[in-house]
């Protein structure tokens, strides 16, 4: 891209000239107009938040780049939500959480997923092996082919990232 900054194409012009096209492109990728409209809207919101504007010649390529990232986020969220809701079907009806609790849990799981995928792969694997699968540090070290002290460092990095988001809103 030749130009992406706040001196590129004005946002209103970018929107007027490309929103219909972007929604159509998204509709063909997603298969429905509602998700396409939502992601097109989110694409322009992201541009506004980043305060970046592409040059007119690069506008569609830039919009597609952002929209593809948002589609990946949507698919990941839906996958997490589906897995959580499937897990809930194993609970007796009296133990099923309220709709509000479900939504909060899904938001927390999506955030945890985002945090974990910001980590190095071995740190992510170590965290999941120890905290989700219940392996000891020694067992996780054997599974990963690393030392126990490496697993300790990986877990510390994962916990620090979670702590940072919990207390400051951004990974530490």
């Amino acid at each position: 891209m030749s130009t992406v900054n706040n001196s590129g194409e004005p946002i209103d012009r970018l929107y007027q000239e490309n929103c219909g096209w972007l929604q159509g492109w998204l509709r063909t990728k997603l298969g429905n107009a509602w998700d396409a409209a939502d992601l097109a809207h989110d694409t322009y919101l992201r541009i506004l938040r980043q305060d970046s504007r592409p040059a007119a010649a690069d506008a569609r390529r830039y919009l597609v780049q952002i929209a593809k990232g948002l589609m990946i986020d949507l698919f990941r969220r839906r996958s997490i939500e589906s897995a959580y809701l499937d897990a809930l079907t194993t609970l007796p009806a009296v133990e099923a959480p309220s709709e509000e609790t479900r939504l909060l849990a899904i938001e927390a799981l999506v955030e945890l997923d985002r945090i974990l995928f910001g980590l190095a792969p071995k740190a992510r694997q170590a965290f999941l092996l120890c905290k989700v699968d219940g392996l000891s540090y020694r067992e996780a070290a054997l599974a990963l082919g690393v030392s126990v002290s490496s697993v300790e460092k990986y877990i510390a990095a994962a916990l620090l990232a979670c702590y940072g988001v919990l207390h400051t809103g951004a990974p530490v």
Side-chain angles (χ1 to χ4, degrees):
M1 250 174 260
S2 62
T3 303
V4 177
N5 58 38
N6 58 5
S7 64
E9 188 170 5
I11 192 71
D12 58 337
R13 184 171 171 197
L14 181 69
Y15 184 85
Q16 289 169 355
E17 292 179 0
N18 297 290
C19 188
W21 172 85
L22 180 62
Q23 283 187 24
W25 183 85
L26 285 164
R27 192 171 31 255
T28 62
K29 299 292 182 190
L30 297 168
N32 71 71
W34 298 279
D35 287 337
D38 285 346
L39 287 187
H41 176 263
D42 291 348
T43 299
Y44 286 98
L45 280 177
R46 181 152 303 168
I47 290 169
L48 284 169
R49 280 191 203 116
Q50 293 174 345
D51 195 26
S52 62
R53 312 288 186 276
D58 296 326
R60 290 189 175 178
R61 183 173 48 220
Y62 186 64
L63 292 168
V64 165
Q65 179 183 4
I66 293 171
K68 282 181 179 179
L70 292 171
M71 277 194 298
I72 290 168
D73 293 346
L74 175 68
F75 295 146
R76 286 182 77 110
R77 180 187 174 81
R78 286 185 177 166
S79 175
I80 290 167
E81 185 174 0
S82 177
Y84 174 72
L85 294 175
D86 286 347
L88 290 181
T89 63
T90 63
L91 292 176
V94 295
E95 292 181 24
S98 68
E99 190 63 31
E100 180 182 1
T101 301
R102 286 182 200 176
L103 290 173
L104 290 171
I106 289 168
E107 289 300 318
L109 290 168
V110 167
E111 182 67 13
L112 181 60
D113 178 69
R114 186 187 66 73
I115 294 166
L116 292 178
F117 275 88
L119 298 172
K122 285 199 176 183
R124 179 176 53 249
Q125 289 173 312
F127 182 81
L128 293 172
L129 288 171
C130 294
K131 301 300 179 184
V132 176
D133 296 338
L135 271 60
S136 69
Y137 285 14
R138 183 173 305 288
E139 292 167 328
L142 288 171
L144 294 172
V146 299
S147 68
V148 173
S149 65
S150 290
V151 170
E152 290 170 346
K153 290 174 187 169
Y154 295 150
I155 299 295
L159 291 174
L160 187 60
C162 291
Y163 178 84
V165 170
L166 179 65
H167 293 285
T168 66
V172 176

